[in-house]
Amino acid sequence: MEPSHQTRKITGRILLLVLLGATAWAACAQFASPLASNLAGDKKAPVQVTVLTKPAMFVSYNPQTRKASVRVLGDKLNQKSPLERTQKLLEAENIAVQNPKFFEPADTERETFWNGFKHALSSWRHNPFLAARAGWNYLSAWHNRRTNLSPAEFALLSMELTQLEPSDFAVTFPARKKRASRKQDPVPAIVPDVADMAPLALKDRPIIVEVLNASGRKGLALELTQYLRDQNEKGQLRVDVLQYDNYPSTQNSSWLEDYSGRLVQVKQLGRAVGINGEIRTGAAPNVICDTRIILGKDFKMPL
């Protein structure tokens, strides 16, 4: 029995040393990384990561508001080094980032990656295997040098992601640009500290909405308009439906298209009507509303 006791004692000391070493390593990694320190500390600076899909995506996450902007980049570059490609992309898009972080997924097709990311974000609570698969994908990328996120940074970022939903992401697609006469100075791209940016929000007015029917079902936009107006009269939602109409084409999926930056209110609106995907953002000429609701074939009226 004596040798067994000594073996357990030695094993316990080895495990203790390993635990202390891991704790020291984690503390060192946190203090050495501004990104990790930001996520674990004051959370004042935005977390910015370039996802090297095709086209690439620049993600800027605000830990204070827990809102993220996703900017789809016009990516036509083909550098061998992921870091070099990241730097060239940010330079081409006039985005100033010090020590840029990047992640290149195994499948670089943007739609495939983005749909898988949204599915994992929505379903990991019911299927923990998705979280394990995300960890495995990171380890594979780290081993193959397809990311410069450290394990500590990935762990802290994953903890933040567990508190988010697809509707916390505002996606901006690239617009056709005219060639500039001269190169502009780069400016940092960050998510605002406040969630409400529109003048209407400052005046504490209801969010102004247009409803567009892209489902092919007659009368759906009118039905949702009546529902929203009833909810506003009951005080359940602060929404003003400006008008309803048909969308130029039929769409399979529904989405919210926001022009105001009132992400908190837009997310509440999406939950109320059952549209929980990412929020598409942009600037439309002569727009007279805060948000448009586009009703696709998948839309179902709220109960």
Side-chain angles (χ1 to χ4, degrees), residues 45-239:
V47 177
Q48 298 171 326
V49 180
T50 303
V51 184
L52 296 175
T53 52
K54 293 182 180 180
M57 298 183 293
F58 180 75
V59 183
S60 185
Y61 169 67
N62 190 322
Q64 288 186 320
T65 61
R66 287 181 177 165
K67 298 294 178 184
S69 69
V70 180
R71 180 174 169 183
V72 180
L73 306 179
D75 182 8
K76 296 182 180 179
L77 303 175
N78 193 27
Q79 277 74 21
K80 293 182 179 180
S81 166
L83 179 58
E84 181 184 359
R85 182 182 169 206
T86 300
Q87 292 171 337
K88 292 292 185 180
L89 274 169
L90 298 181
E91 181 182 350
E93 294 289 336
N94 204 33
I95 301 174
V97 178
Q98 292 184 346
N99 301 319
K101 297 293 181 178
F102 64 85
F103 176 81
E104 184 178 33
D107 189 340
T108 58
E109 205 281 319
R110 194 198 75 85
E111 285 293 334
T112 302
F113 171 81
W114 184 241
N115 289 334
F117 174 79
K118 290 188 295 181
H119 172 70
L121 205 63
S122 303
S123 308
W124 72 268
R125 297 169 182 84
H126 312 291
N127 184 7
F129 173 74
L130 295 173
R133 187 168 65 181
W136 173 257
N137 290 338
Y138 164 74
L139 289 175
S140 175
W142 183 66
H143 178 266
N144 294 310
R145 299 183 180 180
R146 289 187 283 106
T147 183
N148 60 352
L149 289 169
S150 70
E153 292 168 342
F154 173 77
L156 290 169
L157 192 56
S158 297
M159 292 174 64
E160 288 286 329
L161 287 174
T162 60
Q163 305 175 65
L164 303 182
E165 300 174 354
S167 54
D168 291 313
F169 290 79
V171 181
T172 303
F173 294 92
R176 294 182 178 179
K177 300 179 181 179
K178 296 182 179 179
R179 290 186 177 181
S181 57
R182 60 187 179 89
K183 189 175 180 180
Q184 299 177 350
D185 295 331
V187 293
I190 61 174
V191 183
D193 289 332
V194 293
D196 293 332
M197 300 183 295
L200 292 178
L202 301 179
K203 297 178 182 178
D204 194 30
R205 291 174 57 181
I207 189 168
I208 297 178
V209 175
E210 288 183 343
V211 181
L212 300 178
N213 186 4
S215 67
R217 287 179 281 164
K218 293 183 179 180
L220 186 61
L222 173 60
E223 189 178 356
L224 181 62
T225 296
Q226 293 173 339
Y227 171 81
L228 291 175
R229 288 173 176 170
D230 289 342
Q231 293 297 302
N232 182 65
E233 291 180 1
K234 295 176 182 178
Q236 301 297 323
L237 282 175
R238 300 194 70 245
V239 57

Side-chain angles (χ1 to χ4, degrees), residues 260-281:
S260 68
R262 302 176 64 176
L263 299 182
V264 173
Q265 287 82 356
V266 176
K267 180 178 178 179
Q268 292 172 346
L269 176 64
R271 284 183 171 178
V273 300
I275 302 177
N276 298 312
E278 76 276 22
I279 300 168
R280 301 186 186 183
T281 66

Side-chain angles (χ1 to χ4, degrees), residues 13-29:
R13 289 179 178 177
I14 292 174
L15 292 175
L16 178 60
L17 289 174
V18 171
L19 178 61
L20 291 175
T23 304
W25 172 81
C28 179

